[in-house]
């Protein structure tokens, strides 16, 4: 009997570029780049594991998206240093995914459809604090600026949006999002200075037009 193939995907780099954390079936593994040693398993059997969303800069915390019995998604947080089991971070009856740590890992931005269409939210980490809505008319695939003062996201009308974010005394404040650049793609990555964006676009469908096709018909 042939073995069932195991999906290994969603790699995330460590800050020093020496390690890769990735999903291997329902487990998490870390590979040491440049080493011949096999990847080591760091978390065993996460039920419903679908994707690795992010790995904190200090390499301690991981955010993953896991499917639920209702075929929705929850965001789970894992403390690799403590070796504890995955804990719920954003777990409602809605779908939450695309989680990203702020540079200091004090906040997490993610996408939820709790209010209807997918919207971008931000919440303190760790703990189950109150979430703040970032987008106003839909949004997905949020990313942080290098200094953690802004959240970028894609709007439904194909723009990269930018919203200022601040945190003082445990309170998160979010400003009004503004348009930055048009981007009709599926994903993007901001540069460290926030002035350029690398955009992943879908392949455009191609059409074939045949001109003067009657001349190819057999003569009667």
């Amino acid at each position: 009997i042939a073995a069932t193939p195991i999906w290994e995907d969603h790699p995330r780099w460590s800050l020093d570029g020496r390690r890769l954390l990735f999903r291997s079936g329902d487990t998490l593994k870390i590979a040491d780049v440049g080493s011949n040693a096999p990847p080591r398993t760091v978390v065993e059997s996460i039920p419903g594991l679908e994707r690795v969303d992010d790995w904190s800069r200090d390499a301690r915390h991981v955010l993953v998206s896991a499917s639920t019995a209702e075929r929705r998604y929850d965001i789970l947080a894992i403390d690799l240093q403590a070796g504890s089991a995955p804990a719920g971070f954003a777990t409602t009856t809605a779908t939450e995914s695309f989680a990203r740590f702020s540079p200091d890992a004090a906040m997490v931005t993610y996408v939820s459809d709790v209010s209807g269409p997918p919207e971008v939210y931000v919440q303190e980490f760790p703990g189950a604090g109150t979430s703040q809505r970032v987008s106003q008319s839909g949004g997905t695939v949020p990313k942080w600026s290098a200094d953690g003062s802004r959240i970028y996201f894609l709007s439904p009308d194909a723009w990269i949006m930018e919203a200022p974010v601040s945190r003082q005394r445990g309170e998160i404040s979010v400003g009004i999002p503004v348009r930055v650049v048009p981007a009709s793609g599926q994903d993007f990555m901001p540069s460290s200075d926030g002035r350029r964006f690398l955009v992943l676009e879908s392949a455009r469908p191609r059409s074939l037009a045949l001109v003067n096709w009657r001349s190819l018909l057999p003569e009667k």
Side-chain angles (χ1 to χ4, degrees), residues 52-155:
V52 180
D53 286 330
D54 205 7
W55 193 10
S56 62
R57 289 190 174 189
D58 60 5
R60 175 172 178 173
H61 297 282
V62 181
L63 295 170
V64 301
S65 293
S67 60
T68 66
E70 294 77 20
R71 296 185 179 181
R72 294 182 177 272
Y73 293 94
D74 286 337
I75 298 171
L76 308 180
I78 302 164
D79 188 334
L80 297 180
Q81 182 175 313
S84 54
F89 175 75
T91 56
T92 72
T93 56
T95 288
E96 290 91 13
S97 192
F98 296 105
R100 292 290 186 274
F101 285 112
S102 60
D104 61 0
M107 295 179 285
V108 170
T109 182
Y110 61 93
V111 175
S112 175
D113 62 0
V114 67
S115 63
E119 300 281 0
V120 176
Y121 292 82
V122 63
Q123 186 173 317
E124 278 193 291
F125 183 87
T130 302
S131 62
Q132 298 287 332
R133 185 163 154 179
V134 178
S135 58
Q136 296 184 337
S137 302
T140 189
V141 292
K143 303 288 182 0
W144 289 91
S145 62
D147 62 1
S149 66
R150 291 157 289 165
I151 292 177
Y152 303 106
F153 61 91
L154 284 179
S155 68

Side-chain angles (χ1 to χ4, degrees), residues 1-18:
I1 301 176
T4 302
I6 296 177
W7 287 101
E8 295 188 325
D9 50 17
H10 303 126
R12 302 297 175 192
W13 285 102
S14 61
L15 183 61
D16 59 10
R18 296 180 179 180

